[in-house]
Amino acid sequence: MSVTLRDKFFGCICGAHIGSAMGAVVEGWMHERTEEVFGTLDKLVAYEHYNNGWVRAAGTTEDGIDRQKLMITAIMEKGGRITAEDLRKIWVRDINPLAPGGIAEPFEGELLKISKSKIPARDIGRYCDYNNLVSFARSCHPIGMINAGDIQAAIEDAMEVGQIYHYTNSRALRWACVTSVGIAAAMLPDATVESVLKAIFDNLDERVAFGGADEVHRDYAGMYIVDELKRALDVTKDCEDFRELRAKLDTLYYGVGMPYAMAFANEIVTKGVCVFRMCGGDVKKALITAVNLGRDTDCAAAVAGGLAGALGGSGSVPTEWIEQVDQATAEHRFTNSKRTLRGNADGLYGAFQNKLASYRRYAAQMDIE
């Protein structure tokens, strides 16, 4: 049975938001602790972050989804693709000043202050102290969605809009391109897991893309993006469940002892792609797999769930999970938007249809021969 584009949009949003809410409960835990406490975490649970006394209702999303909501608002209001300046306007208008330390990471408060100055939006990310984090790569799903099927536009917009979080041409932006390209490719009518991976490999090899290969384009281990992805996919190729998968991934990613040690973009996006390859378009299976991996579980689930939903739609998502996230959003203290999951997805879908209509008008106007 084919999946409609509208349902792919809804599936992508459900995967990202529900995955973030479910994974936030055990964010930063090693998987041994998750297993000891939950056995298998397969439901939405109340939790607390930042030790601020706010026990968040089960289904409450976290900082990465609030970043995503700002992008969604900007795209909805513009009715199409956005720039870093478009996103900055929404930041200044919509971010709750109490959000940093309440729902957002503390360093985002400093970026918000800078965004209210006259410096270009593309320069804001230069002032982030943590530039290789997954901040944008785990939340840039709307960039892939507004560019559904258009791989090059997904790359261009990720590299443009992401500069509000990261410095120009940074590793973090390149890893965000993996997320945005994967989602854009998964939105194609005949997409498969294999076609999505091929789109990533064909378009994001730094020996060809991003102006050619040099040492700057390698990460700390001397690897290019596609090489790191292929290494992990090869290591995990025979895995059939999350316990096998996390054991293999633990041999590749185990950094500790530094700020945000578990939240670097290369680790999280790679894990998300591996989960997607194992689970395909089954959002429920992808989320349960990702949140039981240990380490930065909410971000890994957002990437994996978004990719799965973009491919398979929302059919595998339990209705009670959708209802629980919507209810928690309605009660959210600090979020910049209380739109429902459907409201976010249909807002983006409407913007995409508006973009297509503008392209059709342009083509009709110029096709005069």
Side-chain angles (χ1 to χ4, degrees), residues 50 56 62-64 66-67 95-96 98-109 334:
Y50 302 119
R56 307 181 190 190
E62 40 57 83
D63 56 297
D66 256 45
R67 287 183 214 116
I95 293 179
N96 185 329
L98 299 178
I103 182 64
E105 291 297 324
F107 69 80
E108 293 184 86
F334 302 111

Side-chain angles (χ1 to χ4, degrees), residues 303-355:
V303 175
L307 287 167
L311 180 66
S314 65
S316 63
V317 183
T319 302
E320 59 268 25
W321 289 3
I322 296 172
E323 294 173 348
Q324 198 164 353
V325 169
D326 283 345
Q327 179 61 38
T329 299
E331 300 171 0
H332 202 304
R333 292 186 183 183
F334 302 111
T335 187
N336 61 72
S337 170
K338 295 192 176 185
R339 286 186 299 266
T340 62
L341 296 174
R342 174 62 74 182
N344 282 305
D346 280 356
L348 284 169
Y349 183 71
F352 177 76
Q353 292 299 324
N354 182 71
K355 187 187 82 165

Side-chain angles (χ1 to χ4, degrees), residues 277-317:
R277 196 268 302 273
M278 190 179 84
C279 301
D282 188 326
V283 179
K284 181 179 179 181
K285 182 179 179 182
L287 296 186
I288 293 173
T289 297
V291 302
N292 286 282
L293 292 180
R295 297 176 66 82
D296 196 350
T297 45
D298 61 323
C299 294
V303 175
L307 287 167
L311 180 66
S314 65
S316 63
V317 183

Side-chain angles (χ1 to χ4, degrees), residues 137-157:
R138 58 92 65 229
S139 58
C140 67
H141 304 54
I143 302 303
M145 297 167 75
I146 193 61
N147 292 301
D150 190 340
I151 303 303
Q152 289 307 311
I155 295 171
E156 292 168 9
D157 288 1

Side-chain angles (χ1 to χ4, degrees), residues 195-221:
S195 72
V196 172
L197 295 178
K198 186 175 187 300
I200 292 170
F201 297 149
D202 287 353
N203 291 278
L204 298 178
D205 190 331
E206 291 143 314
R207 282 154 289 214
V208 179
F210 307 123
D214 57 44
E215 292 304 312
V216 174
H217 293 154
R218 297 174 184 262
D219 69 10
Y220 305 116

